[in-house]
Every structure is written in structure tokens, then in C-alpha cells.
């Protein structure tokens, strides 16, 4: 027995040592391959000879564009990738956004596979990557495809559309001007610039939920050297500025910097740090700059200038207050901002926030998303919020197909998602998943001589597309995942409210439905609900809505009853008070008979009951809006 235990122990040690050696060897090989990749990197150069016609033309050398072009080329299409900058990588390389937001499922596995995974492995497969290495990896993916032509430093002058069909694009580089025909086009620009040029309908910011001027903060990345990583790790583990989570390449946390750091430049703020380590270079995603128009060059340049000044002040503060930054120095500044939101195109299917909340699958799924729905702060006075943390959800092919214009797919953050759903889908790894799908779809549409709109309704072709994507490594298998409050009587009410951002579940997805509803919570939700579902009515009802808030301002913790809710609603929506407001709301069709039966007595409401009432108010406002 003793010998048996001894041999078992020896076997365990051998296995552990073997696994450790395997991972060590793998890491060494990865490091060597990466070094060779960077050493062999040659910047792309403008080309003289652009052919008159290509099967697939991809506009934008963002990561999503590289994925789209490589996918199309691998599927046999003669492909042109057009980029106006000198190098590939866009936001990753020019914006220095090198702390990866990788969507992961419940098993902590990345759901962004295929070409993103290939690229990720080329840059060593960690949560952070080197900027030069990223450029080299994107270039290698393109160079390895014989069907793919890259044209850098090339400006898109015009999109030529004939009877709603995109037919060609006018390009210009230092060698001349070219009109290039395409059988299919893919817009992979950050802001859907080519789609807008092609007259694809779109909305701005939160316009789909009545708040057009909603602008999430933009960020100028901070690039440092001479940071003592070990000291910063000690700070992370000792609750300095609230502490942080970490691994070997990134840290995220230090949230007390929100309040402890006092900005100098107006309209800026330092939030908690997302800190990435690449060799002896360090990148921080934390500097927020507000009230910037992401489509205006002058506004963006002002933000960069302001961000540079604030970065110098941030560095002085960190050197004095944050262990590990004593000797830190600024290495460089990004050429571009990290802009989180501008246009959203209208698509054949506008992915709603409720689909993300419900972890919904779709028959035409071309990949998965799973990142928390991160709505960044919009002013220096708010901190942003996480609406929910999905387990995983499907991205439909229909969401890449724009309304009105044929021959075009749109990928990346400006594709066919609601402004709230985009808070999750906007992360670049997910965008690369959509890019890869678009490239494969373009080839299939050309082969079968169908438009993308026709293809989006053809289940047989979509199944073929999904089978092809599965072979390329994408997650497209059908799935069924539960979600919070599924099949509860107020389930659909929550879906209605979450589509407008009126309820927020955070990382825990907890809406505290059993808690007491309060007067102030109801008053604020009523105002925001009317504003978002029927914005044109806000001016008319604004004073009434403010009056409701004023009446309960000093009663924040007071619970609210059914009849108090009814009184407020009749006062605002009907314009008169009644001895039986509840019955009047039913009579006017604002409250359904079914809900009236469920809440048949006057009592203090729970949040789930208030949510149900507010959902019916939203439906009423939507109906009135559609008739106006």
C-alpha cells in the first residue's frame, strides 16, 4: 500500500511537471514567433494598380475590416481592402486600445473565435497586446491571402448607388483616382461612414430611445514607461484606491480614483484604471473626456489636445500618490481617440436590449456576444452603469443588413443594434466575429446571385452560411440559456423597460423585484419613460412630470401605493384628477384589465408591480407616438 501511494505521488508530480513544461514550452514558442513577426513587419505601401472590379470590397482597415476581408478572400472571393491610414488596426493601433474586452461565457471561455482567435494568438494570446505587434499581426493575416489586395492611404471619395443598389466606389490615393466596381461591399469603419455615404438610414447616439444627445465619454489612452509593476500589484492587493483585480498582463479597478483625483481640464475625469502591461510599456484606459462629437474632426482634435494636457496632470498625481508610478514617464500619445458611440444604422433586425438580457438565440445567428452592457458616463456628474451581464446571446445576420440600400453589409459597433444593446456588442472581438461572418456571407450571396436582403430571409442559405462559419471556428450552434425572471408574470414588463434602459441589473442582473416601490423611484421612472417612449410629448408634459417629482422630492424612501400611482398617472397623462383614478386609467386604455385584476386592491406596491404598471404606460406612450 505504501509503495502504491508513493508511485501515485510520483505520477502526480510527473504529470504536474509535464503540464508545466508544456505550458512553458508553448509560451517560449509563442514569444519566439511574436518576436519574428515583429522583426519581419514591413509597413504596407500605397498601390498603383487597383483593378476595375472586385468580388468583395471592404471599406475600413479596422480589426473588423481585416476579419471581413480575410474571410471573403479565404472563401474564394477576389477582395479589396481599403484603408485611409498608413497601417491596419484602427482603434487598436491608432487609438492604442490594447486592453482587450474579451466576451466570455459562463465557462470563462472566449466566445470570439475564428479570425479573432488567430490574430489573438499571433499577439501572444493575453489580455493586452503590443501596438507594433498588433499592426504586424493584422498585416500578416492580410499578406497570407493571395486573393486579397490591400490599398492603404486611400481615401473613399464617393459611393455610387443606382436604384438603391450599391454598384461602385470612387477611390483616391497619391497615384490617382479610381472608380472600382464591386459585387458586394462591407463597411467596417468605426462610424459606418461608407454606409452613411451610401444613404443608408441611421440614428445617432440614443435617438432610438428618445435621447439623441446621449454621448458616452471618449477616451484618450495614456502610454507610460518605467512603472514598477510589482509595486502596483502590491497596491492592487492592499486596497490602495479601492484595490484592483489583476493577472500577469492587466489590472482593472482602483475605483476610488473617481473621487480622489481632481481634474484640471474642464470636461474631463479620471475613472478607475484599466491598466495594461506590455514589456516595459504601460497603457491606461481611464481618462474620460465629455461633450465630444465623435463625427466632428475639430471636436475630436480639441479632445485630444485637452486629453494631452490632462494626462500630464494625471501623471504628476500618480507619481506623488500611487506606489509604483514614482518614476513613470509619458512615452507617446495616441493619434486617435477611443470613441464609443456615434451612428447606428437601421437594419433588417435591430438587435434590442431585451435580446441581450434574455440571452436570446436566433435562427440566423452568425456568432455570439457575451460582454456586459457597459454604458459609459455621459457627463462628469454620472458614473455610467452596467445594464446587465449576459451569459451569451446570438447576433443575427439580419442585423448586418442595412435598410434601403442593397449590396452592402455593415459590421462593428455601428451595425444594426439598439443604442443600449450596442453597449455590449460594440467591443472589438465581437466586431471581428461579425466581420468574419460578413466576408463569408458576401461570397455566398455572390455565388447564389441573391441580394443580402433576400439572403436574410432564405433559411437554406443562412444554414449554409452558418455551416461555413462553424468550419471557420465560429460559435453558431443553437442554444437555450435561461435569464432572470423568465416566465414570471412581469417578465415581459421587464423586457419592455430594459429596452428603454429604465431598469438596470448591473453585473448581478438583480432588479430587486420584491423590494418596495418608492415615490421618488416611480416619479423618476415616469419622467424618463415618457421622455424616451414619446419624446415629442416631453415639452407638453414636462411641467407636469417635474411637478410629480417635486411633490415627492422629500419623500424618497416613502413607499408608493397603487392609488397614488394612479393619481399621478391621471394627472400627467389625462390632465385631470378623479376620485377613482385607477378605473379612469383602465377606461382610457392606459392600464389593461388583466393588470387591473392582478393589482385589484390599493396597497403599497413592490417593484415588480410598479414595473408592470410602467410597462403598460410605455406601451400606451408608444401607441400614442405612432398615431401622432
Amino acid at each position: 500500500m505504501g509503495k502504491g501511494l508513493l508511485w501515485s505521488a510520483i505520477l502526480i508530480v510527473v504529470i504536474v511537471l509535464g503540464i508545466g513544461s508544456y505550458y512553458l514550452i508553448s509560451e517560449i514558442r509563442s514569444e519566439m514567433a511574436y518576436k519574428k513577426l515583429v522583426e519581419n513587419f514591413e509597413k504596407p505601401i500605397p498601390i498603383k494598380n487597383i483593378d476595375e472590379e472586385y468580388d468583395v470590397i471592404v471599406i475600413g482597415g479596422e480589426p473588423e475590416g481585416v476579419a471581413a476581408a480575410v474571410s471573403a478572400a479565404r472563401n474564394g472571393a477576389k477582395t479589396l481592402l481599403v484603408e485611409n491610414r498608413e497601417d491596419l488596426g484602427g482603434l487598436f493601433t491608432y487609438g492604442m486600445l490594447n486592453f482587450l474586452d474579451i466576451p466570455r461565457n459562463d465557462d470563462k471561455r472566449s466566445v470570439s473565435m475564428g479570425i479573432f482567435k488567430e490574430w489573438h494568438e499571433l499577439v501572444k494570446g493575453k489580455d493586452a497586446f503590443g501596438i507594433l505587434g498588433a499592426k504586424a499581426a493584422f498585416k500578416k493575416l492580410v499578406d497570407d491571402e493571395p486573393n486579397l489586395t490591400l490599398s492603404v492611404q486611400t481615401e473613399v471619395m464617393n459611393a455610387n448607388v443606382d436604384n438603391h443598389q450599391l454598384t461602385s466606389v470612387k477611390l483616391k490615393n497619391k497615384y490617382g483616382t479610381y472608380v472600382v466596381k464591386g459585387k458586394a461591399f462591407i463597411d467596417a469603419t468605426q462610424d459606418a461612414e461608407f454606409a452613411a455615404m451610401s444613404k443608408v438610414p441611421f440614428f445617432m447616439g440614443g435617438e432610438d430611445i428618445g435621447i439623441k444627445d446621449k454621448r458616452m465619454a471618449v477616451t484618450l489612452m495614456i502610454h507610460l514607461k518605467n512603472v514598477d509593476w510589482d509595486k502596483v500589484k502590491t497596491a492592487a492587493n492592499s486596497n490602495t484606491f479601492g484595490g484592483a483585480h489583476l493577472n500577469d498582463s492587466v489590472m482593472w479597478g482602483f475605483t476610488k480614483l473617481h473621487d480622489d483625483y481632481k481634474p484640471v481640464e474642464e470636461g474631463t475625469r479620471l475613472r478607475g484604471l484599466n491598466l495594461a502591461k506590455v514589456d516595459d510599456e504601460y497603457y491606461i484606459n481611464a481618462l474620460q473626456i465629455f461633450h465630444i462629437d465623435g463625427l466632428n474632426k475639430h471636436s475630436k482634435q480639441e479632445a485630444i489636445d485637452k486629453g494631452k494636457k490632462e494626462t500630464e496632470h494625471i501623471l504628476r498625481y500618480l507619481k506623488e500618490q500611487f506606489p509604483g508610478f514614482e518614476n513613470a514617464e509619458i512615452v507617446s500619445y495616441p493619434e486617435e481617440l477611443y470613441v464609443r458611440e456615434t451612428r447606428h444604422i437601421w437594419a433588417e433586425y435591430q438587435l434590442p436590449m431585451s435580446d441581450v438580457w434574455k440571452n436570446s438565440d436566433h435562427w440566423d445567428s452568425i456568432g455570439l456576444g457575451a460582454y456586459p452592457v457597459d454604458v459609459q458616463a455621459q457627463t462628469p456628474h454620472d458614473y455610467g452603469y452596467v445594464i446587465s451581464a449576459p451569459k451569451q446571446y446570438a447576433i443575427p445576420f439580419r442585423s448586418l443588413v442595412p435598410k434601403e440600400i442593397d449590396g452592402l453589409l455593415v459590421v462593428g459597433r455601428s451595425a444594426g443594434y439598439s443604442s443600449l444593446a450596442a453597449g455590449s456588442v460594440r467591443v472589438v472581438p465581437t466586431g471581428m466575429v461579425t466581420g468574419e461572418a460578413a466576408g463569408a456571407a458576401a461570397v455566398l450571396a455572390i455565388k447564389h446571385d441573391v441580394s443580402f436582403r433576400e439572403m436574410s430571409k432564405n433559411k437554406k442559405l443562412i444554414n449554409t452560411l452558418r455551416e461555413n462559419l462553424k468550419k471557420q471556428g465560429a460559435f453558431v450552434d443553437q442554444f437555450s440559456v435561461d435569464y432572470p425572471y423568465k416566465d414570471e408574470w412581469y417578465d415581459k414588463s421587464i423586457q419592455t423597460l430594459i429596452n428603454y434602459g429604465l431598469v438596470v441589473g448591473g453585473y448581478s442582473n438583480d432588479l430587486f423585484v420584491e423590494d418596495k416601490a418608492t415615490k421618488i423611484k416611480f416619479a423618476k421612472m415616469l419622467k424618463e419613460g415618457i421622455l424616451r417612449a414619446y419624446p415629442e410629448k416631453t415639452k407638453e408634459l414636462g411641467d407636469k412630470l417635474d411637478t410629480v417629482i417635486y411633490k415627492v422630492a422629500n419623500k424618497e424612501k416613502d413607499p408608493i401605493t397603487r392609488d397614488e400611482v394612479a393619481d399621478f398617472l391621471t394627472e400627467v397623462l389625462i390632465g385631470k384628477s378623479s376620485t377613482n383614478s385607477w378605473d379612469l386609467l383602465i377606461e382610457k386604455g392606459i392600464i389593461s384589465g388583466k393588470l387591473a385584476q392582478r393589482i385589484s386592491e390599493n396597497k403599497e406596491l413592490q417593484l415588480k408591480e410598479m414595473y408592470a404598471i410602467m410597462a403598460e404606460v410605455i406601451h400606451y406612450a408608444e401607441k400614442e407616438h405612432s398615431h401622432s
Side-chain angles (χ1 to χ4, degrees):
M1 179 65 71
K3 287 184 178 180
L5 287 173
L6 177 62
W7 281 110
S8 295
I10 291 171
L11 180 60
I12 290 170
V13 169
V14 169
I15 291 171
V16 169
L17 288 174
I19 292 172
S21 298
Y22 171 79
Y23 282 110
L24 178 61
I25 292 169
S26 296
E27 191 166 334
I28 291 171
R29 285 177 176 168
S30 175
E31 192 68 43
M32 290 173 64
Y34 179 77
K35 185 177 179 181
K36 185 177 179 181
L37 174 75
V38 172
E39 287 175 349
N40 292 339
F41 171 61
E42 293 182 0
K43 289 178 72 70
I45 58 174
I47 58 174
K48 291 182 179 179
N49 299 316
I50 298 177
D51 291 348
E52 292 183 358
E53 185 172 2
Y54 291 84
D55 295 327
V56 179
I57 299 176
V58 180
I59 307 296
E62 297 288 330
E64 297 92 333
V66 173
V70 169
S71 179
R74 286 181 181 176
N75 279 277
K78 179 184 177 183
T79 304
L80 175 66
L81 174 59
V82 179
E83 169 54 41
N84 66 338
R85 307 177 186 92
E86 293 182 355
D87 286 300
L88 298 169
L91 180 59
F92 275 2
T93 54
Y94 284 82
M96 292 187 182
L97 187 69
N98 68 338
F99 185 129
L100 284 167
D101 293 326
I102 300 177
R104 292 184 169 94
N105 60 18
D106 267 1
D107 298 326
K108 306 304 179 186
R109 291 182 61 204
S110 168
V111 299
S112 302
M113 303 299 283
I115 292 170
F116 168 74
K117 183 182 178 184
E118 287 180 51
W119 173 85
H120 192 208
E121 289 175 349
L122 287 173
V123 295
K124 299 195 285 190
K126 297 184 178 182
D127 287 335
F129 57 85
I131 305 301
L132 182 59
K135 290 180 180 180
F138 286 126
K139 179 74 164 24
K140 175 175 170 51
L141 287 171
V142 168
D143 287 346
D144 285 350
E145 298 305 322
N147 291 331
L148 177 51
T149 300
L150 171 63
S151 183
V152 295
Q153 299 181 52
T154 301
E155 185 179 356
V156 176
M157 305 297 292
N158 191 40
N160 298 316
V161 179
D162 181 15
N163 194 26
H164 299 282
Q165 174 72 41
L166 187 55
T167 57
S168 65
V169 60
K170 186 178 181 181
L171 304 174
K172 182 181 179 181
N173 66 16
K174 70 177 186 178
Y175 295 112
T177 301
Y178 312 81
V179 175
V180 187
K181 294 179 181 179
K183 297 175 184 176
F185 294 82
I186 299 170
D187 183 343
T189 61
Q190 289 186 39
D191 305 309
E193 293 170 11
F194 188 61
M197 186 183 287
S198 306
K199 306 302 181 187
V200 166
F202 62 87
F203 62 91
M204 292 294 298
E207 189 176 1
D208 61 326
I209 53 170
I211 43 179
K212 182 178 181 178
D213 293 333
K214 176 176 79 73
R215 292 179 183 170
M216 288 191 278
V218 302
T219 290
L220 187 72
M221 292 289 291
I222 298 171
H223 181 200
L224 306 175
K225 65 179 180 180
N226 298 336
V227 174
D228 188 328
W229 186 252
D230 289 333
K231 272 192 177 182
V232 179
K233 284 200 292 186
T234 300
N237 291 321
S238 59
N239 209 37
T240 300
F241 293 114
H245 303 281
L246 70 154
N247 59 35
D248 62 339
S249 63
V250 298
M251 295 186 199
W252 61 102
F254 304 115
T255 54
K256 289 186 179 179
L257 282 166
H258 268 301
D259 300 313
D260 291 358
Y261 174 79
K262 307 303 179 188
V264 173
E265 293 293 315
E266 185 179 356
T268 67
R269 186 179 64 196
L270 189 69
R271 64 168 202 195
L273 306 185
N274 282 2
L275 175 61
K277 178 185 187 302
V278 181
D279 300 323
D280 188 36
E281 295 187 19
Y282 303 84
Y283 301 80
I284 299 174
N285 174 3
L287 172 55
Q288 296 177 316
I289 308 171
F290 298 95
H291 313 306
I292 302 303
D293 182 351
L295 295 180
N296 184 294
K297 289 183 180 179
H298 179 70
S299 180
K300 289 191 288 185
Q301 187 56 53
E302 279 188 342
I304 290 173
D305 295 340
K306 183 181 288 190
K308 287 179 178 179
K309 292 176 183 176
E310 192 62 36
T311 295
E312 292 175 359
H313 186 260
I314 290 167
L315 178 60
R316 284 195 294 272
Y317 179 86
L318 294 178
K319 286 164 77 79
E320 293 171 4
Q321 303 294 333
F322 203 127
F325 286 90
E326 294 87 350
N327 300 310
E329 299 175 49
I330 295 170
V331 178
S332 68
Y333 295 100
E335 295 179 50
E336 298 180 11
L337 293 166
Y338 172 20
V339 179
R340 294 175 172 86
E341 180 179 36
T342 52
R343 296 185 183 97
H344 303 275
I345 64 120
W346 288 111
E348 286 298 301
Y349 184 85
Q350 210 73 26
L351 185 75
M353 179 59 222
S354 54
D355 277 5
V356 178
W357 167 257
K358 292 188 300 176
N359 303 304
S360 295
D361 195 9
H362 283 277
W363 67 272
D364 59 338
S365 168
I366 46 83
L368 301 182
Y371 196 73
V373 186
D374 180 16
V375 179
Q376 289 282 312
Q378 296 160 46
T379 73
H381 310 295
D382 73 87
Y383 293 99
Y385 52 91
V386 171
I387 296 181
S388 76
K391 294 179 179 179
Q392 65 182 52
Y393 58 89
I395 301 168
F397 174 70
R398 288 165 292 160
S399 294
L400 311 185
V401 182
K403 293 283 189 182
E404 297 186 14
I405 301 299
D406 288 320
L408 177 66
L409 295 175
V410 180
V411 300
R413 66 166 166 83
S414 293
Y417 320 124
S418 78
S419 59
L420 294 176
S424 170
V425 200
R426 65 181 171 85
V427 297
V428 175
T430 303
M432 290 183 71
V433 167
T434 65
E436 181 171 0
V443 177
L444 199 59
I446 293 168
K447 179 180 178 181
H448 291 272
D449 193 24
V450 296
S451 71
F452 291 131
R453 205 169 318 282
E454 291 168 336
M455 185 175 174
S456 73
K457 301 169 186 175
N458 187 320
K459 291 191 175 181
K460 184 177 180 181
L461 276 183
I462 292 297
N463 284 338
T464 301
L465 171 62
R466 285 160 48 81
E467 288 168 6
N468 292 347
L469 290 172
K470 186 173 183 178
K471 291 174 186 175
Q472 293 176 205
F475 284 144
V476 293
D477 287 343
Q478 302 293 163
F479 65 88
S480 177
V481 177
D482 282 343
Y483 61 92
Y485 315 114
K486 181 180 179 182
D487 296 332
E488 297 285 357
W489 67 268
Y490 49 87
D491 176 6
K492 291 191 182 301
S493 300
I494 286 173
Q495 293 176 42
T496 295
L497 298 181
I498 209 164
N499 277 337
Y500 284 96
L502 295 172
V503 290
V504 173
Y507 288 105
S508 66
N509 296 319
D510 192 345
L511 298 179
F512 303 100
V513 296
E514 303 295 332
D515 285 5
K516 291 289 185 183
T518 61
K519 289 182 170 67
I520 191 65
K521 193 177 223 17
F522 168 77
K524 288 181 176 179
M525 184 176 284
L526 176 61
K527 181 176 181 178
E528 282 299 311
I530 298 296
L531 167 70
R532 297 181 184 200
Y534 196 175
E536 292 83 356
K537 202 76 171 174
T538 305
K539 188 173 181 180
E540 177 186 334
L541 299 179
D543 289 344
K544 293 179 181 179
L545 292 166
D546 288 338
T547 298
V548 173
I549 291 178
Y550 177 77
K551 285 180 178 179
V552 302
N554 296 320
K555 304 174 183 178
E556 288 197 11
K557 295 183 180 180
D558 286 8
I560 194 166
T561 66
R562 183 202 73 171
D563 285 357
E564 286 172 328
V565 165
D567 288 343
F568 284 137
L569 289 177
T570 53
E571 183 180 334
V572 171
L573 299 177
I574 301 174
K576 63 179 180 180
S577 56
S578 169
T579 54
N580 199 336
S581 299
W582 191 246
D583 289 342
L584 186 58
L585 291 172
I586 297 168
E587 179 186 328
K588 295 291 184 179
I590 298 172
I591 297 298
S592 68
K594 185 176 181 181
L595 181 59
Q597 287 180 346
R598 180 171 288 278
I599 311 176
S600 59
E601 298 178 2
N602 182 33
K603 62 172 185 173
E604 292 180 357
L605 297 177
Q606 291 179 299
L607 281 177
K608 59 188 178 185
E609 293 164 325
M610 188 187 86
Y611 292 160
I613 293 170
M614 276 305 307
E616 298 210 341
V617 171
I618 294 297
H619 289 313
Y620 171 78
E622 289 174 334
K623 186 167 61 177
E624 291 294 302
H625 187 196
S626 66
H627 293 158
S628 64

